[in-house]
Amino acid sequence: YSGADSAKPGLFEMANGGTIFLDEIAELEPRMQAKLLRVLDGVPYFRLGGVRKVPVDARVVAATNRDLQAAVHDGTFRADLFHRLQQFVLRVPPLRERVEDIAPLARHFLAEQNPRLTLSEEVIGVLERRSWPGNIRELRNAIIQASLLTRTDRIEAEDFAISGLVALHQSVGESPAGLGGIATGLKGMPTGLNGLERQAILAALNANGGHQGKAAAQLGISRRTLSRRLKDWEENEIVAES
């Protein structure tokens, strides 16, 4: 394998004497679950390409958004690994169950993105009534996208067109008819959404020096989606000019 000419410690070896965090532990494939269990049981292991076993003493913190007990019942997660990991369990409630955290989190994400901007009280109310199925990641992406759309130093409801302005209000039973004067067309989508989407994408590209990967990450979309949008716009402009 690449770099096999020299010894390279793995993450567990680097965490020796400290803590290692394993995110989305429920997504670990069965073969790797067995290997992880051996390490957690204190069994020395061979480093990839190594000839000597490596002992490790590290605290393991694992996280998942799935029900591990259900995964054990379904046979997708090892019962012995589950019991080994659940020595101490800390449940973090979803964002919809801790509404009081939404406003400070939104302001924190906005300060990271652009400390010169503020959120209107109307926006705070809308955010607090949202169910946020995507939890904190969804909230962060919505704030970032709105910060790219706003034309003033104060983010209003209409600035959430790309991050889900209509969806935000529909989720709490409000009609999109009065949302900042945005007209709605077929299937309740704003007729000006494509233009707003283009504005947000171009702003993100400009903020990231034209780097499509970074711009896509900032917008919360895939690079493939961003590239497809740019290609569609380019083709449409060629057709319009011909």
Side-chain angles (χ1 to χ4, degrees), residues 155-219:
I155 294 180
E156 302 291 348
E158 56 264 27
D159 296 319
F160 280 86
I162 293 301
S163 57
L165 172 60
V166 175
L168 280 171
H169 284 72
Q170 286 178 339
S171 67
V172 294
E174 297 181 20
S175 170
L179 301 182
I182 295 181
T184 58
L186 295 176
K187 300 182 180 178
M189 293 300 293
T191 55
L193 183 58
N194 187 59
L196 291 170
E197 181 183 37
R198 179 170 181 169
Q199 177 184 346
I201 288 178
L202 293 178
L205 285 170
N206 182 61
N208 290 279
H211 193 290
Q212 292 188 16
K214 293 181 180 179
Q218 189 175 50
L219 291 167

Side-chain angles (χ1 to χ4, degrees), residues 11 15 19-24 59-64:
L11 294 179
T19 301
I20 183 170
F21 175 60
L22 304 176
D23 198 9
E24 302 296 350
R59 179 191 296 111
V60 176
V61 178
T64 180

Side-chain angles (χ1 to χ4, degrees), residues 34 47 56 66 76 85 106 112 240:
R47 184 195 299 127
V56 171
R66 292 175 53 190
T76 58
L85 288 171
E112 285 186 331

Side-chain angles (χ1 to χ4, degrees), residues 49-80:
V51 295
R52 291 186 302 175
K53 287 189 174 182
V54 179
V56 171
D57 180 15
R59 179 191 296 111
V60 176
V61 178
T64 180
N65 61 358
R66 292 175 53 190
D67 185 342
L68 283 185
Q69 284 186 315
V72 170
H73 183 267
D74 295 340
T76 58
F77 199 82
R78 294 178 61 111
D80 45 6

